[in-house]
Amino acid sequence: MRVVSLEGVIDEFEALTKDAGRTQRETLQKILEQNGEAEYLQKFGLGGRTDPESFKASIPLATHCDLEPYIQRIADGDTSPVLTGKPISSISLSSGTTQGRPKFIPFNDELVRTTMQIYRTSFAFRNREYPIGNGKALQFIYGSKQAKTKGGLIATTATTNVYRSEQFKPTMKDIQSQCTSPDEVIFGSDFQQSLYCHLLCGLIYSDEVQLVSSTFAHSIVHAFRTFEQVWEELCTDIREGVLSSRITLPSVREAVSKLLSPNPSLADSIRSKCVRLSNWYGVIPGLWPNAKYVYGIMTGSMEPYSKKLRHYAGGLPLMSSDYGSSEGWIGANVNPSVPPELASFAVLPDIGFFEFIPLEKPKGLQQLPKTASTVHYTESEPVGLTQVEVGKEYEIVITNFAGLYRYRLGDVVRVAGFHNSTPELQFICRRSLVLSINIDKNTEKDLQMVVQEAAKLLAAEKLEVVDFTSHVDTSTEPGHYVIFWELSSDTTDEVLRSCCDILDLSFIDAGYVGSRKTGAIGALELRVVRRGTFEKILEHHLGLGSALSQYKPPRFVGLSNSKVLQILCRNVTGCYFSAAYAI
Ligand code: AMP
């Protein structure tokens, strides 16, 4: 390691978490001292105070809507201290795949620093249990388009802001995760070409690869689905030492061609391994014999991809990476051997000041206001990092060095335990509702579980749901839920009709069940879409500026997201209405 030893990183983490309450107070003080002159803090009359009590008493809780006008002014070129003492260096665009438009979030060097701290911390813990040798990482990472705001700031995804930072490469070297692909591939302007080259470079260095990773599990699964289509072409390139004509970007061609020379024996070995695999089970350890694990975010909306990932990974361990957002980091996975479904994240108490709004499910049925867009919980006053209780659920509120103060992140977490005095959080779901017509309330997580339940019927047919999303159709009275499925191949109407019934029956929210029984919500509709539809949706989002590295397929498509709805509706090959609840 360049700067500190891995043991040193662990010792530092242990020290920071020993008295997490004290670390929190010191961190808040630092944030407020650095940003004391910010207009936002002045406006609420904080008057230079830096203690948690004054801070909480003066500054209100904020959502993105509250901060948007301030961020917009920064983007428009206002260089006065609006949110931070030092100017904001660039703007991050969050994925925003659900709303259909990316959000603006401030980004500065402090976020780079905390990102590197998180990377090093989780690596130190991971490497203690699964040591990797010197080598390379096959990383499916992609920079996205960089735009300029009206005021001249760079606006791009948070991951791109991190990849293009000066500290990124040295840190990757420190944590033995240097990417097999050259920068031209990571920052190439055509993600299809970048993906092909990531696979090719990964194969060229196949003996050196120690791990396979991406930010989100979706990108790894997407990469190997593509591999199934292009592997023969990759073999030809390696055999002949000539890059496929599908790579047309000159900078990418030049950079990758330099790595390529005719290697018939590698091509033969890849070919013979590929043809021996059964339905691509274990392709990762098969082709990368020295890989020790597969690494990426596998929790939350990435859970549906872990099954397919496990298939590609064969016997290799899957490790869920850390928890953060474009707004800022929260915690590191310091228990890497826990299976991804149970992964938790220990909060780093010096990367921000964290508060937790206790959430309790209200008892009995409640009429939701028509406009409700979040799950209705009974909320209490926010509590501090060290006051949370094991087993309880909270919404996270962050205050950090990027100028976010008491910012409601909108994520629901459950406290799984403590590491020293800092909590280990399990990600539960985004608080926003995806499906709601009247008194029914279903989150992304509910939808995921319902799809998982119905997909069990497909397993017997050796079929799988490639991807899915949902919609509420209120064009007919009463309105009803629509679930879109892309399947790996065709099946019979009979199977799909049964799947549709199970989808309908598996929404167990009392509001939904009640409304279905009384007919206040119509029969659920399953719409099967053509293969490749979700790829088209991905391309559409990348066109809007989101990055493949940070891509989360939308789990709900509303009327406001008309382009994506159009893509879905144009590609429907079959519609089924549930017969469950039929009287
Ligand atoms: P973005 O706004 O694109 O940066 O995405 C941030 C959101 O992704 C978070 O607010 C979470 O909802 C989700 N997310 C990030 N890390 C994780 C994780 N480890 N597990 C589950 N969800 C995550």
Side-chain angles (χ1 to χ4, degrees):
M1 286 272 297
R2 193 175 42 121
V3 194
V4 265
S5 72
L6 291 182
E7 276 315 311
V9 173
I10 293 183
D11 290 347
E12 188 189 309
F13 179 74
E14 298 297 341
L16 284 171
T17 54
K18 195 114 280 150
D19 185 351
R22 199 179 83 196
T23 312
Q24 279 283 275
R25 279 190 298 281
E26 290 169 359
T27 305
L28 180 66
Q29 189 181 350
K30 266 193 222 153
I31 294 172
L32 297 179
E33 276 169 6
Q34 263 187 29
N35 302 315
E37 355 147 23
E39 178 190 321
Y40 188 80
L41 294 174
Q42 301 263 336
K43 174 180 147 189
F44 292 110
L46 197 56
R49 287 168 299 169
T50 59
D51 60 291
E53 292 70 30
S54 309
F55 176 65
K56 287 195 224 172
S58 319
I59 308 289
L61 292 170
T63 61
H64 190 263
C65 283
D66 302 315
L67 291 186
E68 214 165 8
Y70 296 88
I71 304 173
Q72 192 63 51
R73 271 175 50 204
I74 297 170
D76 288 346
D78 188 339
T79 50
S80 67
V82 179
L83 286 172
T84 49
K86 279 190 278 176
I88 293 292
S89 58
S90 50
I91 296 285
S92 287
L93 298 166
S94 90
S95 47
T97 42
T98 303
Q99 296 81 16
R101 74 181 175 100
K103 290 190 290 196
F104 273 16
I105 292 160
F107 186 89
N108 64 6
D109 291 346
E110 291 290 342
L111 283 179
V112 175
R113 185 180 60 78
T114 52
T115 305
M116 302 307 142
Q117 184 184 347
I118 281 265
Y119 283 179
R120 273 196 297 266
T121 305
S122 59
F123 178 74
F125 282 93
R126 208 159 60 240
N127 212 53
R128 192 162 71 172
E129 285 178 56
Y130 302 90
I132 55 174
N134 263 331
K136 291 185 183 292
L138 169 52
Q139 295 195 61
F140 297 100
I141 56 175
Y142 308 84
S144 60
K145 278 198 228 158
Q146 296 184 16
K148 280 258 167 85
T149 67
K150 205 167 121 196
L153 292 186
I154 285 183
T156 186
T157 50
T159 39
T160 308
N161 272 323
V162 169
Y163 302 151
R164 68 184 190 92
S165 73
E166 276 174 20
Q167 293 174 46
F168 181 66
K169 277 208 180 141
T171 304
M172 287 296 122
K173 199 163 177 223
D174 286 350
I175 65 172
Q176 297 162 267
S177 306
Q178 281 171 292
C179 189
T180 45
S181 302
D183 278 1
E184 288 81 354
V185 172
I186 300 173
F187 294 103
S189 57
D190 177 324
F191 85 93
Q192 303 276 16
Q193 296 190 30
S194 294
L195 168 53
Y196 184 89
C197 292
H198 274 319
L199 290 165
L200 185 61
C201 297
L203 290 168
I204 294 172
Y205 294 110
S206 47
D207 283 341
E208 290 177 54
V209 167
Q210 299 286 314
L211 70 133
V212 173
S213 75
S214 184
T215 314
F216 287 115
H218 171 268
S219 320
I220 312 180
V221 169
H222 178 257
F224 284 98
R225 287 196 198 277
T226 307
F227 182 78
E228 293 185 26
Q229 312 295 322
V230 299
W231 70 276
E232 286 177 291
E233 200 172 330
L234 290 164
C235 282
T236 308
D237 290 8
I238 292 172
R239 181 180 312 282
E240 294 170 4
V242 180
L243 188 57
S244 157
S245 60
R246 69 161 72 214
I247 308 303
T248 54
L249 291 167
S251 61
V252 178
R253 269 203 88 78
E254 193 185 330
V256 178
S257 295
K258 273 192 207 147
L259 307 175
L260 203 58
S261 55
N263 191 342
S265 69
L266 178 60
D268 285 342
S269 120
I270 297 169
R271 161 166 288 281
S272 71
K273 284 173 181 168
C274 286
V275 294
R276 264 186 282 138
L277 291 172
S278 157
N279 193 23
W280 300 100
Y281 177 82
V283 58
I284 299 177
L287 294 180
W288 290 277
N290 295 314
K292 309 288 185 296
Y293 50 81
V294 177
Y295 183 62
I297 292 176
M298 297 168 196
T299 37
S301 60
M302 293 296 131
E303 245 182 81
Y305 306 104
S306 55
K307 191 163 165 234
K308 189 72 182 171
L309 201 53
R310 203 161 255 138
H311 179 84
Y312 288 133
L316 278 187
L318 299 185
M319 262 172 246
S320 197
S321 57
D322 311 312
Y323 174 31
S325 67
S326 302
E327 285 90 339
W329 284 99
I330 296 149
N333 180 359
V334 298
N335 303 307
S337 51
V338 169
E341 294 77 9
L342 301 172
S344 64
F345 312 96
V347 179
L348 266 65
D350 67 331
I351 58 174
F353 179 73
F354 300 95
E355 295 170 73
F356 295 82
I357 303 174
L359 302 175
E360 259 178 79
K361 289 254 163 71
K363 305 219 164 38
L365 269 185
Q366 284 197 346
Q367 184 75 37
L368 257 188
K370 271 268 183 251
T371 53
S373 58
T374 58
V375 186
H376 185 68
Y377 289 98
T378 309
E379 296 181 5
S380 334
E381 281 302 300
V383 298
L385 180 74
T386 54
Q387 286 146 4
V388 295
E389 292 176 46
V390 174
K392 296 222 163 134
E393 292 188 5
Y394 301 89
E395 180 184 341
I396 303 190
V397 176
I398 62 175
T399 296
N400 69 12
F401 292 95
L404 298 175
Y405 307 103
R406 309 199 80 204
Y407 180 93
R408 295 178 76 142
L409 202 57
D411 284 349
V412 181
V413 295
R414 179 184 298 129
V415 179
F418 280 87
H419 183 101
N420 292 328
S421 58
T422 203
E424 294 183 325
L425 308 174
Q426 271 173 338
F427 181 87
I428 302 295
C429 59
R430 300 283 303 164
R431 194 168 165 185
S432 43
L433 284 180
V434 294
L435 286 165
S436 173
I437 291 179
N438 46 54
I439 54 166
D440 52 311
K441 331 179 229 322
N442 284 295
T443 63
E444 182 171 317
K445 174 124 185 158
D446 299 316
L447 173 64
Q448 258 167 236
M449 291 191 329
V450 163
V451 169
Q452 196 181 345
E453 207 42 50
K456 284 181 185 161
L457 280 191
L458 298 173
E461 310 285 315
K462 296 229 178 322
L463 272 187
E464 56 189 334
V465 179
V466 173
D467 231 321
F468 62 95
T469 191
S470 67
H471 174 66
V472 164
D473 185 350
T474 47
S475 64
T476 52
E477 190 55 50
H480 66 275
Y481 288 7
V482 179
I483 312 282
F484 291 92
W485 267 9
E486 179 177 323
L487 298 175
S488 52
S489 52
D490 296 340
T491 183
T492 62
D493 287 345
E494 196 190 337
V495 170
L496 291 168
R497 246 177 241 121
S498 310
C499 287
C500 186
D501 290 353
I502 297 193
L503 286 170
D504 205 2
L505 287 169
S506 302
F507 281 105
I508 50 167
D509 158 59
Y512 185 75
V513 175
S515 301
R516 286 289 290 117
K517 283 186 180 156
T518 58
I521 293 181
L524 182 143
E525 182 183 356
L526 170 62
R527 295 189 197 161
V528 177
V529 294
R530 228 170 251 120
R531 280 224 67 182
T533 302
F534 278 81
E535 183 81 15
K536 289 197 182 114
I537 295 175
L538 182 147
E539 282 169 15
H540 167 74
H541 280 120
L542 297 187
L544 290 180
S546 66
L548 193 51
S549 299
Q550 233 173 301
Y551 182 70
K552 298 190 270 309
R555 292 295 183 226
F556 175 77
V557 181
L559 289 174
S560 64
N561 204 348
S562 57
K563 266 266 163 315
V564 174
L565 199 56
Q566 246 176 31
I567 298 175
L568 286 163
C569 293
R570 281 195 191 136
N571 285 286
V572 172
T573 55
C575 277
Y576 305 87
F577 280 92
S578 151
Y581 301 103
I583 313 157

